[in-house]
Every structure is written in C-alpha cells, then in structure tokens.
Amino acid sequence: MTLVRWVRLLAVAGLAAILARPGAAQEAQAGRIVGRVVEAAQGAPVAGAQVEVVGTATPITATSALDGRFTLAGIPAGPASVRVRMIGFQPKVVSGIDVPAGGTVQQDVSLTAEVVQLAEIEVTAESERGSVARALDEQRNAVAIVNSVSREQIARSPDGDAAAAIQRVSGVTVQDGRYVAVRGLGDRYTQASLNGARIPSPEPEKKVVPLDLFPAALIEGITTSKTYTVDRPGDYSGAEVNIKTREFPARRTLTMSVGSGFNTRSTAIESSFAPATGIDWLAFGSSRRELPAPIAANPTLAGVNTPEATNEVVNSFRDVWSARERKGSPSGSFGLSVGGTDRLFGKELGYLLSGSYSYAQEVKDNQVRALALAGAGGAPTEIDRYEGETGRATVLWGGIANLSTTFGAHTKLSWNNTYNRTMDNDGRLELTQRSENLGIPLQIQRLRYVERNVLSTRLSAAHQLARRHRVEWAAGYSDVARKEPDRSEIVYTAQLDPSTGLPVTTSWLGISNEAAVRTFADLSEDALDGQLSYQLLLGSLSNPWAVKIGGAYRTVEREADNSYYSISLASSLPETALQLAPEQLFDGRFSSGSTTAFRVVPLGQGGSYRAEDRLSAGFAMLSFPVGGRLDVTAGVRYEHSEVTVHAVSTTGAPTRTAPVYDDVLPSVQLTYRLSESQNLRLGASRTLSRPEYRELAPLLFREVIGYDNVIGNPALRRALVDNLDLRWEWYPSGAEIVSVSLFAKRFDDPIERVYLATSGTRIISYVNAQAANNYGIELELRKNLGTLARGLLPFTLFANTTLMRSEIDIANSSASITNPQRKMVGQAPYVVNAGLTYTSGTGRWSATALYNVTGPRITEAGEIPLPDVEERPRHVLDFSLRFPVFPGISGRLDAKNLVDSPYRLVQGPVLREYYKAGRTFGLGFTWQP
C-alpha cells in the first residue's frame, strides 16, 4: 500500500469515527466524565468500583472496568461531583468537576485502602489530579528498579525516534544512533520489547533492536528495567527496554502534524549521494535492486565458463556504481492520528490509529578511516588512511492500530498492532594517498542501501475473577526483515596532483578480485510467542500477599543469506578503457557476445544460515509485605533453550551448531518505605546472555580493501550474570526525584568481540572470556527551581550521571589481547545527561535544553601489541521550543547537535575513524481541533 493510500485510509477512518457517533446532536447539551479509579498507594487500577454523579434527578452511574476506566454520559453541563465506592477502600467524593456542554472531561480518582471504618472524604478535582499524578508515577511504584521516559518528556525534546529519546535515561548510551547499551555494557546485554513482547532484531550481528525504527510520535513511553523479576524473560543484564505505543485517548481526538528542516553540512551543499530509485522514498527500493535472475538461478555460478555465459552474468548487474555529486535536500515529516472511545455493538471501544513519516539527508563530512600497524618497538603506526565523505538519505515511517474493550467490569481485551519501516541509502567516495598492500593511491566508491521493517501484532487479555484471582494471557506474532541488496564497491588507482593531493586521472584496478564487488544480503525472522499467568491474593485485601505463577513459549525462525560476487579482468583492456567511469566500463561495450574482457566469480566470504530457536519457560513468584514498610518480591524462573544454526558458505561448505541450555534464574526484590516520599530498594538476581545466531555461524564476512574480516565461533557458550542493585530514592513532589543507585555484576563466560591471534589477514571473532566484573553508581536529580526563587518556578532542572568500571579476564583462548584485565568491550567509564526545561503558567509555551556526553569506550579489543580501539567522548547539545500559533495549532522549533562534536575512533595515536555530521534545525506545526 502506498503512503498516499495509507494516509488516506487513516483520514477516512478518523472521519468515519467522527460521523458514526450515534445521537451526537441530541447530546449537544450534555457532557461526559471519563477517567480511571486507582489505588492511592501503588497506582494500580481498581476494577468493579461504583462511580456515580451526585445530585442528578436521574441516577447516572458506571462501574470501573478491569483497567480502572469508567465513563459517565449524559451529564448536564456545568459543575459536577462524583462519588466513588469500593469494598475495602475509603469512599470518596470529588467535587468541582467542570463538565463542558457536548464535551468530555477527564477525571481520575485515587482510593485509599480502608484499614478501619472511615467516613467518606471529599476533595476538589484540582487536588485530586495532583494526588493521582503521584500515585501513577511508574518509577516510584514499580517492583523493580526502573527509569522511564514519558510521552510528555519526548514531546518537549527534539528526539525523533526511540533511540534518541532513551539516551536521556541515566546510564543509557546509544551507539551509531540506534543501538542501546545500559550501564556501560555492550548492546548484547540489553533486551528490547514492544508493549511487553520481545522484538526480534533485524540486524545480522546484533541482539538488541535498532531503536531508530520507532518514531517518537507513536510512543506513549519508554521504560528501562534495570533489575530482573522472574515474570519477564531472563536474557538481559544491562536492562530491558520496553517501548509502549500510544494508548487511546479518553475522548475523541484528531491530530495532524507537519515539519521541515535542514542540516548545515548537507542541505543545499554539494556532496556525494547514492543514486535513488523511484520508490526509495517509501523504503521499498530493494525491489529495484534484487539479485539478478541468472545469479538467483545459479548462485555458485557453476558452469559459467564460457565468454557468453560470463558476459550474461556481468550484464545482469545494475549498471550503477558511482556516488553522484548533488546538493542535499531539506528534511520533511508528516503525522496523522485519530483516537477516542465510542460505543460499538453496545460496548465501549477504545481505539487509536496513528501514522508518521519522515525523510532526511545527512553527510558524514571530512570523513577519515585508517588502520593501525605495530611499528618499531610495538608503537602504533597509521596505515591505509582514506579521506572522503558519505552522503545518506533516510526514511522512517510507521503506524499503529490499537484497540481495547471490556466485557463487564472484570475482563479487558486489547489488540495492539505496529508496523515500522526504515531506509538508509549511502553513497561514499574516499581516497588514500597510499595503499599499504599495493603501494599506490586508490579511490574507492561504495553504494549501500539498507531497508528494515518490523511488524508486531499482539492480542492480550486480563480477567479479574472476584477480588482475589487474576488471569492474564497474551499471544503475539512479530516479523522483522533486513534487506541490503546490490551493495557495490569499485576501486580505481589514482594519479594525484602533487599540489592538491586530488586525483588527476583514475584507472580501474581490474587485476584485483576486490576491484569490483557486488553484495546481496537478505535477513528475515518470524517469531510466535505466548504467555499465561495466574495471580492469587491471600490475607487482607488492604495489604495482601500475592502468589503468581505462569509460563511462556517462544519459537523463532531466522533466515539470512549473503552473497558476494567479484568482477575482474580476464584479459587486458587499453588504458583509455580502464579510465572510463564505471557506468561506461560496464555498459556492455566490453561484455557483449564472445568478448573475454571480464571474469565473474563468487567470493569465499559470506554465505547463508538458517536458525531455529525454541524457548520455553515457567516461573513462580511471591510478593508479600513485612511489618507495613517492607515489600518483598521473590521468585524463580526456569528457561529451556534449544538453538540450531545451519550455515552454508558461499562455496557450499555446510556446518551445524545446536547448543541446548537449561537455566534456573532466581530473583529477590526488596522495597523498604523510609517515609511517604522515600524508598530504599535492594535487588539480587541471576540472568544470562546467549550467543546470537550469526555469532554461532562460522562464516567469514569482510569489507572491500582496508577493512577487517569477521567470522563466527560455533563453540561459544552462553554467559551467566549475577546482579546486585541498591537504590535510595526520594520524591519531594510528584514531578521531582533524587536518587542514588549502586550496582555490581559478575559475569561467567562473557562473550567478547576480539581480534584472533593469526598472521596475515586481520580477523575479528567472538570468544568466551573466563570472567568479568562490572560495577558503578548512578545519580539522578529532577528538581523544580521555584524553591530557590519564585521567579524560577517555571524552570525544572534535571540531570543524571553514571560512573562505571569493569574488568575482564580473557584467560587462555584463541584471542590476541592487549591486557588480560582490560575493561569490557562497549563499557564507558561515565555517562552524563543534563537538561533545563521552562514551562509557562498556561503550559502552552515550553523550552528545553538537553546535554549528553559518554566517556571513552572500547569498540574492539586490540591485537598485541596494539592498544584497544576506543570511541572518544562526544558532547551533544540539543534545544527544543514549543509555542502556540492559533487556537488548536501549536508550533515547535528544534535544534540538534549544536556543538557538532566529531565522531572519533582511535587506537592509541592512530585515528581509526572520524567525521562530523552537522547541526540540524527543524520547524513543525501540530493541529488538534
């Protein structure tokens, strides 16, 4: 479905929802009150509460549903009062609710557990909203140690996707703008989920999902759980990141947004960009770059030994090799959302249909890459230094369709659907003054198109059976895909102008098997999962014990295929021919009929693999209070994992790896309430980290000229991690927090990315180290500055700092190491986030400044005697302004990467990689009638 049809469908659905409401004209003078009934202590929903409007001639009543929601309709416009009663809770009347004529007002109500018989209390609507905000604070009331980013925080930042938003959380770092690492641990120790269900990763060598797949406009919030409870999967240690898509609003709403922007290093500036097909802007360009039919029918090119057959294969490739010089275009974005709650077939149906689209271009300017070689005395020496630039076009679009309804007061059914799609189209042009292997200048051009998508659908239900029994179940399907079709790399020798160092003439390096390479990579993964749990409350309902048991099952099928093909000279061509542009060299003039200019062969690097993953789990958990101040949650989880990886190299050699693991994962979480506003938390648990499928496949992957080779290791074992966390937290008010956290982790058999101890070709692989330790401290502050001076009341300061340290013992292995007790790959010694927010008294104006820096971290463990490869700190400063324009229309002005700090990888004194990405500015408008 094209984007235009997709947007049109959303608009029609929204209009139909608006027009379909029965009796809208007749209800013009009456209004509605909607909201939720929750427990004041924990913020949990209260089902079955009786809600009534006080003082009406005809009784207007409702019963709260399983999620605590209620709707009171047909209320005369003007001030109203609502009474809420529930056995086991103190009754309450909320007065001063202003009901609009023909409109809807939202009013949540918190109930206090009734220990002794108490008289009914009355509060105003304004004060009740404040207490509910505190009661619903997810971070304060969670069983585990969590940090959350709310939709409101995301809306006040310039963050366009989940990866950008989550880096504001303490201890969180984001690599390459998409991969999340927590508490200094590599991305392999972080698990991502969507609405509570694990998301398969579309990356061939990554466990964690690239979070730039999820547009910020579709996100309700992001929760980072840093401690483990047994009702969740146990394959993480840094954190579990749960992205929650937006919920349906209490009243019908329609929202539309548009935006545009520019980048100081790409927009209207001549740069190298990859050619595009006509449908790249929809992220469907892979269909125009598919594997050519002659190669798809004969992947190993068996029998291609005649000039005619060879020329057929050569001519079947797209004749597109070169990055094109052109001016970058501005960015653009669009969003449409419709949602609400309406009656359908006699039931209240909550719905949200939402979609967003964005397009942008960026340039990696002044780009440098190089390798390090041990020189005299082992000192690192720079070799193969390439300089150039990369132009990138990106597309990100997605949509959600979330539905929810209730059956009586005790059953809630939800169906959440998400589809997101992204595209990156890169064109890279670079030049080296001297190739270490060939001793001559080289010019390399690379075109790389990557397309990714995630589909997730999940049906879940919760059943409250009387007051003491609760059953929850969920079943879901997810599908991810990553296509990297027709990647091209072509190498020319260069004659340089001595005065400028720029090429005067270039000539194709046809004698090398790496001089012209086409790569085709395709990955798809399907997953089915289901889970069921039962909870029983024991003892007093005002302070109960809770027993929870359950199980889960997940089955995953992944297929990945990688094919590399090389075109080189079979016979000599005149120099004038070799100096032609590649699109002329391969346009058929030298590959027609029985000419013998070229040969084409599959390269030994790459191949395909197929993985099957079956995971079954069961758990038992007990939560109970001790003495009125201490809450204890303890349990154990059993996981049985069976993984089978079938791999076939490009040359046809098959392998099979089939690890099986049975693990018992215990967890204990203690929360001691020091006061009404202070908690002391202690958590202890065991988790694990399993090898990824690609890491178990002994296939060799490599980059063309000057890059490293990567190979899997079928002997990898899963790592076990013992975790200990201690946290003190203080909530001076509902919007303020001060917290200090200590954490320590012990790893057995941690998996590390290292250089192998080989001679000649540099090869990266994965090995199990003997052990590792990781520990640190997190500090978090969010404080309104009005306590310092009344004039500062609109300002809120927030900051978090994480200080970390790790040590790893590689012991004896096939890895070549630099230090037997170095820090872990991916671990940073510190992460600092800070920000200042201004909000006007009406809330219509707001401004936020955000700062982030991450300390140096190892990206690859170096090969003796070379030091490790480190990513150096980058200082990032962003700014966002929200302002009113007209009634119903608001504007936003965003500025990102204002410092334009460079991205740098170093290996001792050698600059391994360097570039600047430029500053980005954007202006957008939102219409909500």
Side-chain angles (χ1 to χ4, degrees):
M1 181 180 294
T2 66
L3 177 67
V4 173
R5 292 181 61 194
W6 178 72
V7 171
R8 187 181 299 161
L9 179 62
L10 285 177
V12 171
L15 182 60
I18 294 173
L19 296 178
R21 184 182 176 187
Q26 289 80 358
E27 297 177 9
Q29 300 305 312
R32 298 196 310 168
I33 300 176
V34 300
R36 297 179 72 209
V37 181
V38 299
E39 296 180 63
Q42 300 294 329
V46 176
Q50 300 301 309
V51 187
E52 63 176 328
V53 180
V54 179
T56 56
T58 302
I60 302 175
T61 63
T63 302
S64 63
L66 189 65
D67 58 357
R69 292 181 183 267
F70 67 88
T71 300
L72 296 165
I75 306 171
S81 298
V82 169
R83 175 181 289 112
V84 182
R85 292 190 179 97
M86 182 66 191
I87 297 174
F89 293 91
Q90 184 177 0
K92 177 179 285 188
V93 173
V94 181
S95 60
I97 305 174
D98 189 11
V99 180
T104 302
V105 62
Q106 182 165 351
Q107 180 62 58
D108 298 335
V109 182
S110 63
L111 297 181
T112 302
E114 185 180 50
V115 180
V116 296
Q117 184 65 38
L118 297 173
E120 180 177 270
I121 63 171
E122 183 170 344
V123 299
T124 65
E126 182 178 0
S127 63
E128 179 63 5
R129 290 191 184 103
S131 65
V132 171
R134 291 191 296 270
L136 292 176
D137 183 49
E138 183 176 9
Q139 184 168 322
R140 178 183 182 182
N141 296 315
V143 172
I145 295 177
V146 304
N147 291 94
S148 300
V149 177
S150 67
R151 181 183 172 193
E152 180 183 9
Q153 290 172 285
I154 296 173
R156 291 182 177 178
S157 74
D159 301 330
D161 54 59
I166 198 174
Q167 67 180 341
R168 315 300 180 185
V169 173
S170 62
V172 173
T173 58
V174 178
Q175 299 173 334
D176 299 331
R178 55 185 57 161
Y179 305 115
V180 173
V182 181
R183 287 179 165 177
L185 301 174
D187 53 61
R188 71 168 57 253
Y189 297 107
T190 300
Q191 176 59 55
S193 58
L194 181 67
N195 296 318
R198 174 174 175 169
I199 319 169
S201 174
E203 300 303 299
E205 298 180 14
K206 300 283 187 181
K207 171 185 177 180
V208 68
V209 175
L211 295 187
D212 63 333
L213 272 169
F214 301 94
L218 306 183
I219 298 173
E220 182 71 25
I222 306 174
T223 300
T224 305
S225 301
K226 297 179 179 177
T227 56
Y228 159 71
T229 55
V230 300
D231 55 346
R232 301 295 303 154
D235 54 343
Y236 69 90
S237 178
E240 181 188 31
V241 177
N242 183 44
I243 301 169
K244 187 177 181 181
T245 55
R246 290 176 52 191
E247 289 188 343
F248 59 89
R251 55 183 180 270
R252 188 182 297 116
T253 60
L254 174 67
T255 305
M256 183 181 296
S257 63
V258 294
S260 186
F262 68 94
N263 182 281
T264 57
R265 292 186 181 269
S266 63
T267 307
I269 297 175
E270 290 280 348
S271 303
S272 300
F273 289 95
T277 71
I279 53 177
D280 285 5
W281 68 279
L282 286 175
F284 281 105
S286 62
S287 61
R288 305 285 178 90
R289 298 174 170 87
E290 292 180 344
L291 191 69
I295 301 177
N298 184 15
T300 62
L301 301 186
V304 179
N305 48 23
T306 66
E308 292 79 7
T310 298
N311 289 336
E312 181 188 10
V313 173
V314 171
N315 294 334
S316 70
F317 290 110
R318 286 192 321 139
D319 191 22
V320 179
W321 298 86
S322 304
R324 311 290 168 80
E325 287 289 322
R326 62 178 176 83
K327 292 183 178 180
S329 62
S331 62
S333 63
F334 171 78
L336 179 66
S337 177
V338 58
T341 304
D342 287 288
R343 295 193 68 82
L344 182 67
F345 303 118
K347 292 188 176 298
E348 292 284 342
L349 176 68
Y351 58 92
L352 177 68
L353 304 175
S354 184
S356 68
Y357 174 89
S358 65
Y359 175 85
Q361 291 186 355
E362 62 182 27
V363 171
K364 295 180 179 179
D365 197 17
N366 300 320
Q367 196 166 14
V368 175
R369 71 174 177 94
L371 295 176
L373 182 69
T381 302
E382 181 185 83
I383 62 169
D384 288 330
R385 179 186 176 95
Y386 285 84
E387 299 181 0
E389 65 180 10
T390 298
R392 168 177 290 181
T394 65
V395 166
L396 171 62
W397 64 268
I400 58 176
N402 291 347
L403 303 174
S404 180
T405 190
T406 58
F407 295 87
H410 302 294
T411 295
K412 178 184 178 182
L413 185 67
S414 300
W415 186 27
N416 293 335
N417 303 274
T418 303
Y419 182 82
N420 295 313
R421 194 173 190 92
T422 184
M423 177 277 291
D424 297 324
N425 192 16
D426 294 357
R428 182 164 181 165
L429 176 65
E430 56 186 1
L431 175 72
T432 180
Q433 303 290 318
R434 181 182 183 276
S435 166
E436 183 69 18
N437 291 334
L438 301 176
I440 56 176
L442 296 178
Q443 183 186 74
I444 300 180
Q445 295 194 69
R446 291 182 173 86
L447 303 181
R448 182 172 184 255
Y449 178 93
V450 179
E451 193 175 278
R452 299 171 295 166
N453 67 266
V454 172
L455 167 68
S456 174
T457 180
R458 190 166 186 82
L459 184 66
S460 59
H463 311 275
Q464 188 74 41
L465 310 178
R467 290 295 311 279
R468 297 183 178 272
H469 307 271
R470 184 182 180 95
V471 175
E472 296 181 350
W473 60 265
Y477 168 77
S478 60
D479 171 81
V480 301
R482 181 185 188 272
K483 297 180 181 293
E484 188 179 346
D486 204 17
R487 170 176 169 176
S488 69
E489 292 150 311
I490 192 159
V491 183
Y492 276 61
T493 63
Q495 298 291 328
L496 304 181
D497 184 331
S499 61
T500 64
L502 299 176
V504 177
T505 61
T506 59
S507 180
W508 181 49
L509 186 66
I511 60 173
S512 170
N513 274 346
E514 295 186 342
V517 175
R518 303 301 277 255
T519 305
F520 299 85
D522 195 354
L523 181 150
S524 63
E525 181 172 320
D526 299 305
L528 287 168
D529 73 277
Q531 59 189 48
L532 174 68
S533 67
Y534 165 73
Q535 179 177 279
L536 171 64
L537 300 183
L538 303 172
S540 169
L541 289 176
S542 62
N543 203 17
W545 290 45
V547 178
K548 187 176 183 181
I549 59 174
Y553 181 78
R554 185 177 77 243
T555 176
V556 179
E557 303 280 348
R558 169 179 280 204
E559 291 190 7
D561 183 75
N562 297 272
S563 304
Y564 293 70
Y565 298 93
S566 166
I567 303 175
S568 59
L569 282 174
S571 59
S572 61
L573 287 176
E575 186 65 22
T576 54
L578 298 178
Q579 291 178 0
L580 293 172
E583 285 77 13
Q584 295 174 299
L585 185 63
F586 297 107
D587 64 2
R589 68 184 70 181
F590 303 115
S591 54
S592 61
S594 60
T595 57
T596 59
F598 303 124
R599 70 166 57 93
V600 57
V601 296
L603 296 178
Q605 295 86 356
S608 62
Y609 69 89
R610 177 172 53 87
E612 301 169 356
D613 188 351
R614 307 290 183 264
L615 178 72
S616 53
F619 71 87
M621 185 168 70
L622 176 64
S623 300
F624 57 93
V626 178
R629 287 183 175 268
L630 177 64
D631 291 329
V632 179
T633 299
V636 64
R637 184 182 185 90
Y638 166 76
E639 291 192 352
H640 174 76
S641 169
E642 298 180 6
V643 176
T644 304
V645 179
H646 303 271
V648 180
S649 69
T650 304
T651 57
T655 61
R656 180 179 183 273
T657 306
V660 177
Y661 296 110
D662 291 280
D663 293 291
V664 176
L665 307 174
S667 170
V668 177
Q669 306 293 325
L670 309 177
T671 301
Y672 185 77
R673 290 183 292 277
L674 298 170
S675 67
E676 287 294 324
S677 60
Q678 297 184 59
N679 292 330
L680 184 65
R681 300 179 183 269
L682 177 66
S685 63
R686 165 164 284 193
T687 55
L688 54 81
S689 174
R690 300 183 182 95
E692 285 306 293
Y693 313 129
R694 167 64 185 86
E695 296 171 350
L696 293 169
L699 302 176
L700 186 67
F701 290 76
R702 67 95 179 85
E703 301 279 357
V704 168
I705 296 188
Y707 276 107
D708 295 316
N709 296 269
V710 181
I711 191 170
N713 177 8
L716 282 178
R717 304 179 302 276
R718 59 94 173 87
L720 292 175
V721 191
D722 293 323
N723 311 277
L724 186 64
D725 292 83
L726 178 66
R727 174 167 164 167
W728 168 79
E729 54 191 25
W730 174 38
Y731 298 87
S733 71
E736 297 178 324
I737 181 175
V738 180
S739 71
V740 179
S741 302
L742 302 174
F743 61 89
K745 301 177 184 294
R746 170 70 179 180
F747 297 78
D748 290 324
D749 295 330
I751 301 171
E752 287 284 286
R753 177 184 168 102
V754 298
Y755 283 99
L756 296 181
T758 60
S759 59
T761 304
R762 300 157 58 92
I763 298 178
I764 292 175
S765 188
Y766 307 90
V767 300
N768 287 105
Q770 179 170 309
N773 295 307
N774 173 263
Y775 47 91
I777 182 172
E778 291 179 339
L779 309 173
E780 182 176 10
L781 169 68
R782 177 177 292 271
K783 179 64 178 174
N784 182 271
L785 301 184
T787 54
L788 302 179
R790 185 171 181 81
L792 297 178
L793 189 63
F795 293 91
T796 298
L797 174 69
F798 52 94
N800 58 72
T801 300
T802 305
L803 305 176
M804 300 157 285
R805 184 173 180 180
S806 67
E807 296 175 351
I808 190 164
D809 183 3
I810 295 291
N812 295 323
S813 72
S814 59
S816 178
I817 58 175
T818 58
N819 184 340
Q821 276 81 40
R822 61 167 170 80
K823 61 184 180 181
M824 301 174 70
V825 170
Q827 190 263 317
Y830 61 85
V831 177
V832 177
N833 289 294
L836 182 66
T837 293
Y838 165 83
T839 306
S840 66
T842 62
R844 302 181 66 194
W845 286 84
S846 69
T848 303
L850 298 163
Y851 169 78
N852 168 266
V853 64
T854 301
R857 53 189 170 190
I858 297 176
T859 60
E860 292 165 1
E863 181 182 15
I864 287 177
L866 295 174
D868 301 319
V869 181
E870 282 193 343
E871 181 180 343
R872 305 303 297 172
R874 291 184 66 239
H875 299 273
V876 180
L877 179 63
D878 300 331
F879 176 79
S880 186
L881 174 67
R882 302 292 180 268
F883 55 91
V885 181
F886 299 108
I889 299 179
S890 60
R892 60 183 294 167
L893 177 65
D894 295 330
K896 301 179 66 175
N897 197 31
L898 290 173
V899 179
D900 198 12
S901 181
Y903 173 85
R904 290 185 299 159
L905 286 182
V906 299
Q907 192 167 16
V910 176
L911 187 63
R912 289 289 304 268
E913 189 167 356
Y914 174 96
Y915 64 83
K916 285 192 170 186
R919 301 170 177 87
T920 301
F921 299 89
L923 178 65
F925 298 94
T926 299
W927 175 59
Q928 185 172 345

